[in-house]
Amino acid sequence: MHAQWNDRESLVHPASAPDYMREEQLHALQLQRLRAITRHAYENQALFRERMDARGVKPEDVRTLDDIRKLPFTQKTDLRDTYPYGLFAVPMNEVVRLHASSGTTGKPIVVAYTAEDIEVWKEAMVRTFACAGLHSGDIIQNAYGYGLFTGGLGAHYGAEALGATVIPISGGNSERQIMVMRDFGTTAICATPSYFLHLIEFAEKMGIDWNELPLRVGVFGAEPWSDEMREYIEGKTGIKAYDIYGLSEIIGPGVGMACEKQEGLHIFEDHFMIEIVDPVTDEPMPDGEEGELIITTLSKKAMPVMRYRTHDITSIIAEPCGCGRTIRRINRIARRSDDMFIIRGVNVFPSQVEAALLKVEETLPHYQIVLSRHGGMDQMEVQVEVTAETFSDTVRGVEAVHKQLSDAIAHILGIRVKLTLVQPNTIERSMGKAKRVIDNRKS
Ligand SMILES: [Zn+2]
């Protein structure tokens, strides 16, 4: 039990109690759940059982938390190859909800929940919102898409269980979003960061003064974004922008969340066990060192996912957090190995480019990377919007800004790429996840 629950100043929802668990207690709970879920998956998931048998590992071989390393990994392709229901571990009459990923390549990934799984998800989302200092009395405008995507309903049920008022507005219709935000007294918004950037522009066009809105919190996720982007959003609107982490394959939003200290994301470790491994050798990485994040669902029954390879690159922050939570944190996930592309032998992540661009004052947070091939050589062009004033000679002129941005990108990537400064509102806006890279190399 946490001493501050009844303190108005730092109201913590009772669902957040596990965030403050003692380490031994957490580890005991994790081990108990890991053993149970390993057995459940072994008995009910053919693919997992085959792989365990091939390794000669039995569920009873899991005696300590470190024994998780004996278990086989799950790859995203496993979820595709078993489409639609091949990884379900309960009879269909126990499945109360399905979601699916949009699936840009081929078949989507289908995920399932029992009634109990929905409760776990709801609890994780309550703890997520509590990390952002939200509580009953808050009015949460949920601009995540409702539907097969996990974002909308995940945030919705969490917000209701928190005791907050939820506005299920879904994505799109920006003018109405702003009107609702103002007239309904929205205090928190859930959206992708790129959609919120779009709303910032809309609000400006409508002559809205952010200081006059009660909005104080943004819960932004579902796509990688940088700390520089967070600073931009906070500076522009005066709200506090929180990074939320989740993935449909694991449960949806609510796997991890930034707290008011804004240093990394707490992972709800009693439900999601994390490891960081070297993506090439699969060896565990020490705390503080970067590697691929591996997640095991400890509580989910309909479709347990054992040692899932997220392709997200991050590291564990071992130091205790100033907020008092004892569950560990990972660093902001600014890089996904899936987003990486190679130009002239150099590995490039869009978020590196974003960080370089936003260090320059005249930059607007709207950019696109265009890849093409000329005469057998790969070319990369960065198109970025800069303020209208940059194009008038009064400030410091286009050339000076161009040079500064060009140098900033070269400094981060180690190679020179083509850079084009464009007028505000040139680059297409996104209602959901932004498309940062256009790859014309194959066509
Ligand atoms: Zn914290």
Side-chain angles (χ1 to χ4, degrees), residues 259 261 266 321-325 329:
C259 68
K261 297 292 173 193
H266 287 284
C321 185
C323 75
R325 285 180 181 79
R329 289 167 294 160

Side-chain angles (χ1 to χ4, degrees), residues 143-320:
Y144 283 130
Y146 279 66
L148 282 177
F149 171 55
T150 49
L153 288 182
H156 181 101
Y157 285 105
E160 282 189 357
L162 179 74
T165 306
V166 56
I167 306 172
I169 194 163
S170 197
N173 202 338
S174 304
E175 195 168 341
R176 193 179 58 166
Q177 297 269 1
I178 301 293
M179 183 198 79
V180 163
M181 202 184 291
R182 183 189 58 204
D183 297 349
F184 293 17
T186 300
T187 59
I189 184 162
C190 301
T192 59
S194 50
Y195 186 55
F196 190 68
L197 289 173
H198 182 56
L199 291 182
I200 290 178
E201 289 183 317
F202 240 90
E204 271 170 19
K205 264 186 235 158
M206 291 167 70
I208 299 286
D209 177 358
W210 287 98
N211 294 320
E212 285 171 13
L213 296 180
L215 189 75
R216 64 171 213 282
V217 165
V219 177
F220 301 128
E223 63 183 4
W225 56 306
S226 60
D227 250 332
E228 286 76 8
M229 184 75 89
R230 175 175 67 78
E231 283 163 21
Y232 177 89
I233 289 173
E234 291 183 344
K236 203 80 186 166
T237 61
I239 68 167
K240 200 151 172 169
Y242 290 84
D243 192 12
I244 176 175
Y245 178 65
L247 51 182
S248 298
E249 298 90 319
I250 296 301
I251 203 157
V255 175
M257 177 68 174
C259 68
E260 76 270 14
K261 297 292 173 193
Q262 300 273 28
E263 288 162 358
L265 301 112
H266 287 284
I267 298 291
F268 302 112
E269 291 183 283
D270 47 321
H271 294 308
F272 313 106
M273 189 164 158
I274 53 170
E275 302 166 75
I276 305 284
V277 303
D278 181 313
V280 180
T281 66
D282 297 345
E283 284 304 309
M285 300 295 286
D287 287 352
E289 282 186 38
E290 275 196 343
E292 182 181 351
L293 177 66
I294 308 293
I295 306 177
T296 298
T297 58
L298 293 176
S299 315
K300 208 174 60 165
K301 295 284 161 46
M303 191 175 146
V305 181
M306 310 301 288
R307 301 194 83 199
Y308 185 66
R309 302 202 76 129
T310 64
H311 292 210
D312 288 331
I313 307 294
T314 184
S315 54
I316 288 177
I317 304 174
E319 294 77 37

